[in-house]
Amino acid sequence: MRVLVLGGSPRHFGGVETFCTRAVQALADHFPALSVRHAGTYTAYLSARTLSQLLGGIAGVARFRLGGHGVVWLQYVNLPDLAYILVARALGLRVMVTPHLGSNWRSQRDPRLRALSRSLLGRAQRIALLAPTQAEEVALPGRVPQSAVSTFLPAEVLLPVPRAAQTGPLRLLHASRLSREKGTFKVVEVAAALRDRGVPFTLEIAGGADEATFVALRALIAAHDLAAHVHLTGWIEPAALMERLRVSDVLVHLSTIDSYPLIVLEALACGMFPIALDLAGARNIVGRFDGLIVDPAADIAQTAAFLATAEADDLRRRGQAQSARVRESLGWQAAAAQLAQALQQTATDQAVNA
């Protein structure tokens, strides 16, 4: 069976692009009979200047069809991604869609866009959900079959690497594509509140962003006089990020847009204690393992109050206690088998959209 994993943009490498890369590798490792490759949709930050990249992505689907029939596994992040369903169907390809969005995305908040999203998803043969909570957040067509698939943790964190004994002030980490939606600026406000309370800590902010975002972050850090507490690292290689997770204590992830935040699972696998916003996906992860969920209306205050009163050693112990469970639950072999089954069903089922 031929599979085109379609999603993300190499120019804006982030969670979806990482997910696609790992999924392709996992399928290659455990199901070598499958012919699998990855291509971008190029819908991130879509504008008139980047329209040619989107057209190039569509042309890539046409080239895939020239090689014969197959399954397109589409990663749905932005509403324009769903145009690929129509293109693939017009070319006679079968389509499975995995949403990577939640209730706070514009495509789900706006009633007209929500209806359009549901209608376009109705043209797919199958919808593969990363978590059962996505059915609560994303408008899904009732007549399209659904499958459960798993996320793919980095291969590095699936190996049991002992953490060095940690003492002293809490080491906080925020790692994401830096933006207001991802909660980056709120994390700086949390740091200011902790400093004002006299709590000993360090905070590292790691991730890529455009220059305007970096300028605004540096200005906010300076305005709060946090240079002694906060280090703005910028983008780092994925392997280096995993090392940061292993030597940090608490992940602070106050994103309003992450439907099922991979970084929270990565942190847990590395022995960290996560703090996340009360969204369905994060709530599912924390309920399954451990962590703190905070109210979006009081996220800064609740996070700071918790960290100011918690015992650092207790948070380290709780994080490390979940590490083995996460690695065992989310191994690549089981995740690849689940995904391969969903793809096979998409290719062979006589669904309503066949």
Side-chain angles (χ1 to χ4, degrees):
M1 181 172 60
R2 300 171 64 244
V3 179
L4 177 63
V5 181
L6 195 57
S9 169
R11 291 177 176 267
H12 300 283
F13 202 87
V16 174
E17 294 79 9
T18 300
F19 174 82
C20 292
T21 301
R22 292 172 187 162
V24 170
Q25 186 61 56
L27 288 174
D29 289 348
H30 298 286
F31 294 90
L34 295 178
S35 173
V36 185
R37 68 182 183 87
H38 173 223
T41 55
Y42 301 96
T43 59
Y45 308 106
L46 188 62
S47 66
R49 289 193 306 169
T50 61
L51 187 59
S52 62
Q53 296 174 3
L54 173 62
L55 296 176
I58 291 173
V61 179
R63 289 192 296 272
F64 175 74
R65 177 62 181 87
L66 290 175
H69 290 282
V71 174
V72 171
W73 179 28
L74 175 66
Q75 315 307 312
Y76 173 25
V77 182
N78 309 300
L79 193 60
D81 287 325
L82 299 185
Y84 282 90
I85 299 177
L86 302 180
V87 172
R89 292 304 313 281
L91 292 169
L93 296 164
R94 286 178 169 251
V95 183
M96 183 173 82
V97 182
T98 291
H100 292 260
L101 62 155
S103 57
N104 286 333
W105 291 65
R106 188 184 173 200
S107 63
Q108 301 306 306
R109 295 196 319 268
D110 186 300
R112 290 170 298 181
L113 297 181
R114 186 176 174 88
L116 176 60
S117 171
R118 182 192 290 113
S119 176
L120 291 173
L121 284 170
R123 297 293 296 149
Q125 269 82 29
R126 183 166 292 271
I127 295 171
L129 300 177
L130 291 167
T133 53
Q134 287 187 293
E136 305 171 17
E137 297 191 89
V138 182
L140 301 175
R143 61 196 178 95
V144 178
Q146 295 180 13
S147 290
V149 295
S150 176
T151 193
F152 290 86
L153 292 179
E156 300 93 332
V157 306
L158 294 174
L159 300 173
V161 178
R163 286 173 59 105
Q166 309 290 354
T167 58
L170 274 176
R171 278 166 284 203
L172 311 180
L173 176 69
H174 172 78
S176 73
R177 183 181 291 164
L178 308 182
S179 69
R180 294 189 184 279
E181 294 79 9
K182 290 284 191 176
T184 309
F185 290 81
K186 289 184 177 183
V187 173
V188 177
E189 299 291 350
V190 169
L194 291 176
R195 190 272 318 278
D196 291 346
R197 289 170 177 252
V199 177
F201 74 96
T202 61
L203 167 64
E204 180 176 8
I205 299 176
D210 57 32
E211 187 55 32
T213 299
F214 278 119
V215 168
L217 278 173
R218 293 186 191 104
L220 184 62
I221 292 168
H224 285 298
D225 193 23
L226 287 169
H229 298 273
V230 179
H231 179 55
L232 183 58
T233 304
W235 186 83
I236 57 177
E237 293 284 346
L241 175 58
M242 295 307 107
E243 289 303 317
R244 294 289 208 286
L245 294 174
R246 286 196 177 98
V247 298
S248 301
D249 301 314
V250 177
L251 178 81
V252 185
H253 187 72
L254 303 181
S255 171
T256 62
I257 60 174
D258 283 349
S259 172
Y260 196 71
L262 176 62
I263 187 64
V264 173
L265 286 169
E266 291 172 337
L268 281 162
C270 289
M272 291 184 70
F273 181 92
I275 299 175
L277 215 59
D278 189 7
L279 299 177
R283 191 165 61 246
N284 176 267
I285 294 171
V286 167
R288 185 179 177 187
F289 298 109
D290 198 359
L292 174 71
I293 294 295
V294 295
D295 185 345
D299 46 6
I300 296 171
Q302 287 184 3
T303 302
F306 175 80
L307 291 173
T309 55
E311 290 290 336
D313 288 343
D314 182 57
L315 295 184
R316 292 176 179 127
R317 179 190 58 77
R318 288 174 64 180
Q320 292 168 27
Q322 296 301 319
S323 179
R325 284 190 61 217
V326 177
R327 294 197 308 271
E328 181 179 354
S329 301
L330 299 171
W332 277 20
Q333 184 170 359
Q338 192 176 38
L339 173 57
Q341 180 182 33
L343 290 167
Q344 187 64 43
Q345 289 173 325
T346 305
T348 59
D349 278 0
Q350 296 301 311
V352 292
N353 284 327

